[in-house]
Amino acid sequence: MSTAREQPIFSTRAHVFQIDPATKRNWIPAGKHALTVSYFYDATRNVYRIISIGGAKAIINSTVTPNMTFTKTSQKFGQWADSRANTVYGLGFASEQHLTQFAEKFQEVKEAARLAREKSQDGGELTSPALGLAAHQVPPSPLVSANGPGDEKLFRSQSADVPGPAERERLKKMLSEGSVGEVQWEAEFFALQDSNNKLAGALREANAAAAQWRQQLEAQRAEAERLRQRVAELEAQAAAEQPSASEKEGSQALEHLEALVQTKDQEIQTLKNQTGGPREAVDATEREETQQKVQDLETRNAELEHQLRATERSLEEARAERERARAEVGRAAQLLDVRLFELSELREGLARLAEGTP
């Protein structure tokens, strides 16, 4: 087919359907995706066609005649009957605006076909009605038929004879039967589309969640390993912190200091008793020496008490440090249990996700 002979004058995209020839009620989709549907004008024959090609074959090859009617059955769906193809075509559009544009163009082409027929019947000079058609025209481009370049078998011309009364009645009946379940079918169709979009979105979210869970799983594993090492270190430290040699030495030193303090207290008491009675026979030198010794003993006693308190504080600090270490071991063990539980839940979630992903 040469580009000078047949040219596209309007194009849009829609889901293409044909009536089931067996039931005359159900629609058969031409494919899973929307196809390009175009109006073509044959300037040589003054013929208009609606053509849609899917893959290597023509899904729609319908010659527009004045007796055809395009019917809007819903906000996004329209249909027309083609007696020559012995079928009913249905188009599902993405929006009501696209449906309206296609319907208006159908009416323009139908009117142009009527004028062309009248002039042909009157024997007048044929002019190109396509020149008056509005917008959405595209530059002429070569079209390749399903049978190969240069083969016009796909777009062969058809006459525009008016079908007889019986044929019209049959087409009306077929059109009405095809429209019976249209609303329900369209609702189901768009419900399936919405469901498919939701499932696709859910799958993307699940994949993103799975990737995030995998990262969390790796982080949890690293954290669990670190906690295991920390718990092992703390357990070893707690085991080593049984009464150590330093604590034993501290206890012995404390006992020695307590005994020494008691001894000094006894000596002080003895000296006080000696100085408290009648001391007329003791000379002044001995009394001074005794007093000096008492002062020295009291000073030494104070020093020993200070050392005793310091030793007690050190012992208490050592005991508190050991208690803190034990508490830290307990907290680390609890945290490890929580992490292990979260890790188990994360593994179960990944398993359920893997089972539910097709």
Side-chain angles (χ1 to χ4, degrees):
M1 182 178 63
S2 65
T3 57
R5 173 180 169 183
E6 197 161 12
Q7 300 176 0
I9 58 176
F10 177 86
S11 295
T12 187
R13 293 186 65 83
H15 291 272
V16 179
F17 302 88
Q18 282 184 288
I19 201 71
D20 188 351
T23 63
K24 303 296 183 182
R25 291 179 179 273
N26 300 323
W27 289 104
I28 300 176
K32 296 181 179 179
H33 306 288
L35 301 175
T36 299
V37 183
S38 303
Y39 287 92
F40 279 80
Y41 173 63
D42 187 342
T44 303
R45 302 181 181 181
N46 259 2
V47 173
Y48 295 88
R49 303 178 190 276
I50 300 175
I51 296 175
S52 178
I53 298 177
K57 64 178 182 179
I59 305 301
I60 300 177
N61 185 10
S62 177
T63 301
V64 180
T65 60
N67 62 300
M68 283 185 177
T69 301
F70 184 81
T71 305
K72 295 181 181 180
T73 57
S74 67
Q75 291 182 347
K76 298 181 181 180
F77 195 89
Q79 63 186 43
W80 77 96
D82 188 339
S83 60
R84 303 191 180 284
N86 194 25
T87 188
V88 177
Y89 294 106
L91 297 179
F93 294 89
S95 67
E96 185 177 1
Q97 180 182 2
H98 291 121
L99 173 60
T100 302
Q101 291 176 351
F102 187 89
E104 291 175 352
K105 188 61 62 176
F106 192 97
Q107 189 63 30
E108 292 178 12
V109 169
K110 175 181 174 181
E111 182 65 19
R114 185 186 65 80
L115 294 175
R117 168 175 291 182
E118 290 177 355
K119 290 184 179 183
S120 176
Q121 290 175 351
D122 294 341
E125 183 181 357
L126 295 179
T127 58
S128 175
L131 297 177
L133 294 178
H136 297 283
Q137 296 191 9
V138 297
S141 59
L143 295 178
V144 180
S145 70
N147 300 308
D151 191 344
E152 302 177 10
K153 191 174 181 179
L154 176 62
F155 303 114
R156 64 184 182 275
S157 299
Q158 299 175 356
S159 62
D161 295 337
V162 179
E167 183 69 13
R168 284 199 298 270
E169 290 299 326
R170 186 181 69 80
L171 287 175
K172 288 181 180 179
K173 181 179 180 182
M174 183 169 58
L175 184 60
S176 61
E177 290 177 350
S179 301
V180 170
E182 178 55 34
V183 175
Q184 181 180 1
W185 175 90
E186 187 192 8
E188 293 177 358
F189 175 75
F190 287 106
L192 287 175
Q193 277 191 332
D194 292 339
S195 178
N196 184 49
N197 293 335
K198 291 178 181 178
L199 287 175
L203 181 59
R204 288 192 295 270
E205 292 177 358
N207 290 334
Q212 184 179 2
W213 286 352
R214 290 190 187 97
Q215 294 177 356
Q216 292 180 356
L217 179 61
E218 294 299 328
Q220 295 285 356
R221 286 176 177 173
E223 182 69 13
E225 184 63 26
R226 189 187 68 80
L227 289 175
R228 287 194 186 96
Q229 294 178 359
R230 179 59 178 166
V231 168
E233 293 174 359
L234 292 175
E235 288 178 348
Q237 182 180 356
E241 284 182 352
Q242 301 297 331
S244 59
S246 60
E247 290 185 355
K248 291 180 180 179
E249 292 177 358
S251 299
Q252 291 176 359
L254 182 62
E255 293 175 356
H256 176 70
L257 289 174
E258 289 178 349
L260 186 60
V261 168
Q262 290 179 357
T263 302
K264 296 303 180 181
D265 287 340
Q266 291 176 358
E267 291 180 0
I268 291 172
Q269 188 64 36
T270 302
L271 290 174
K272 285 182 177 181
N273 291 335
Q274 291 177 356
T275 57
R279 302 296 297 172
E280 293 81 0
V282 181
D283 55 13
T285 302
E286 184 177 357
R287 187 163 45 253
E288 291 178 357
E289 291 178 354
T290 302
Q291 290 178 353
Q292 185 64 37
K293 188 180 293 187
V294 168
Q295 291 177 359
D296 293 341
L297 289 173
E298 289 178 348
T299 302
R300 178 61 178 169
N301 187 36
E303 292 177 354
L304 290 175
E305 288 180 352
H306 179 72
Q307 292 179 2
L308 178 62
R309 286 192 295 271
T311 305
E312 288 178 347
R313 285 195 300 271
S314 299
L315 184 60
E316 290 297 328
E317 290 175 357
R319 289 174 179 172
E321 182 65 25
R322 186 169 56 194
E323 292 298 327
R324 283 195 297 271
R326 288 177 179 174
E328 186 175 355
V329 170
R331 288 193 299 272
Q334 292 177 356
L335 183 59
L336 180 60
D337 291 338
V338 172
R339 295 297 186 189
L340 291 176
F341 178 74
E342 292 178 352
L343 185 61
S344 175
E345 286 188 338
L346 188 58
R347 287 177 178 172
E348 292 178 359
L350 288 176
R352 288 193 299 269
L353 180 61
E355 292 176 357
T357 301

